[in-house]
Amino acid sequence: MYNLLYQNISRHIHLSEEEFQLFAEPFELKKSKKKEIVLHEGEYCNFEGFVLSGCFKIYFLNENGFEQTLYFAVENWWITDLDSLINNVPSTLNIEAVEESEVLMISKKEKENLYETLPQTEKLFRIMNQKSSVALQRRILSLMNKTADKRYLEFLEKYPGLEQRLTQQQIASYLGISHEFLSKIRKKTTLGK
């Protein structure tokens, strides 16, 4: 269960076997059913989660009540609402399991305790936050500068195989387009092969 977590963090910091056991100890396994919401808009986010299996969508409802997906978190990805977690403000996001999923959760308090007991974990989470900021910046630039066709191709590249696990509506929500327009794009890309 913890092998995937160990591989993930080993890309950023080195922990001995004993140190990794200390690191992994405060994480709790949470199983989520399909469509289960692990964070509702308006709640305070006090966790970070590492996805072991399944898929989550991180989304908000726009002023017209339409769902806008910020990103999907599949195996080996992390989930949280950084703004709510860091600034202790109500969440603007919802985190929902798209399919049955397993995630290792760590509370904000336990994470801060790790900074004291294993100082290198502060470096780990700093690097992860930096990478998250870069990913969100790229996402914003893509939404502002690229056509829906190009965003769809980027989605396929960023999330290989995920297209078969999601509904057309979920993909369209991520791309910021209607599912009807997505159908046209998919036909074009299929014909272009």
Side-chain angles (χ1 to χ4, degrees):
M1 171 170 68
Y2 290 100
N3 287 343
L4 196 58
L5 179 63
Y6 180 76
Q7 291 168 11
N8 182 276
I9 68 165
S10 294
R11 296 188 327 232
H12 308 297
I13 62 170
H14 173 74
L15 295 177
S16 69
E17 197 172 309
E18 185 179 297
E19 288 171 328
F20 179 71
Q21 286 177 356
L22 281 171
F23 176 81
E25 190 176 300
F27 282 84
E28 292 182 24
L29 179 65
K30 176 167 179 22
K31 296 181 180 192
S32 297
K33 294 182 174 140
K34 183 177 182 174
K35 296 189 177 187
E36 182 179 340
I37 298 179
V38 297
L39 179 69
H40 289 88
E41 178 183 348
E43 294 177 345
Y44 287 81
C45 182
N46 64 355
F47 69 86
E48 286 191 53
F50 178 73
V51 181
L52 291 173
S53 65
C55 177
F56 290 87
K57 65 178 175 179
I58 293 72
Y59 69 95
F60 64 96
L61 298 176
N62 68 20
E63 61 185 28
N64 297 321
F66 293 109
E67 198 174 284
Q68 295 285 176
T69 301
L70 196 56
Y71 67 96
F72 295 103
V74 292
E75 296 82 2
N76 211 23
W77 284 51
W78 291 81
I79 56 172
T80 193
D81 178 336
L82 273 178
D83 185 22
S84 179
L85 182 74
I86 292 169
N87 296 314
N88 198 36
V89 295
S91 179
T92 56
L93 300 175
N94 299 284
I95 301 176
E96 179 181 332
V98 173
E99 55 194 26
E100 283 194 21
S101 303
E102 292 184 330
V103 62
L104 289 172
M105 299 280 212
I106 186 167
S107 71
K108 181 178 182 176
K109 182 180 179 200
E110 291 289 349
K111 183 177 136 184
E112 288 171 358
N113 288 341
L114 279 178
Y115 293 163
E116 299 297 319
T117 56
L118 289 170
Q120 60 269 53
T121 58
E122 195 160 5
K123 176 184 177 186
L124 168 70
F125 286 104
R126 177 182 49 81
I127 291 169
M128 287 174 23
N129 285 343
Q130 288 170 338
K131 288 183 176 244
S132 177
S133 294
V134 169
L136 289 175
Q137 178 179 316
R138 288 179 180 167
R139 174 106 168 94
I140 291 166
L141 290 172
S142 177
L143 283 170
M144 295 174 76
N145 290 322
K146 295 187 177 164
T147 65
D149 297 49
K150 287 185 179 171
R151 292 195 311 270
Y152 176 65
L153 294 174
E154 276 183 350
F155 164 80
L156 295 176
E157 188 177 308
K158 183 175 185 172
Y159 297 104
L162 188 58
E163 183 181 23
Q164 281 73 45
R165 295 164 64 182
L166 300 173
T167 66
Q168 194 162 312
Q169 189 69 41
Q170 290 166 332
I171 297 168
S173 169
Y174 174 81
L175 298 173
I177 59 176
S178 69
H179 68 276
E180 293 87 2
F181 191 51
L182 176 59
S183 289
K184 292 176 185 175
I185 292 171
R186 290 172 90 173
K187 282 180 188 168
K188 267 198 300 187
T189 56
T190 305
L191 293 174
K193 289 183 180 178

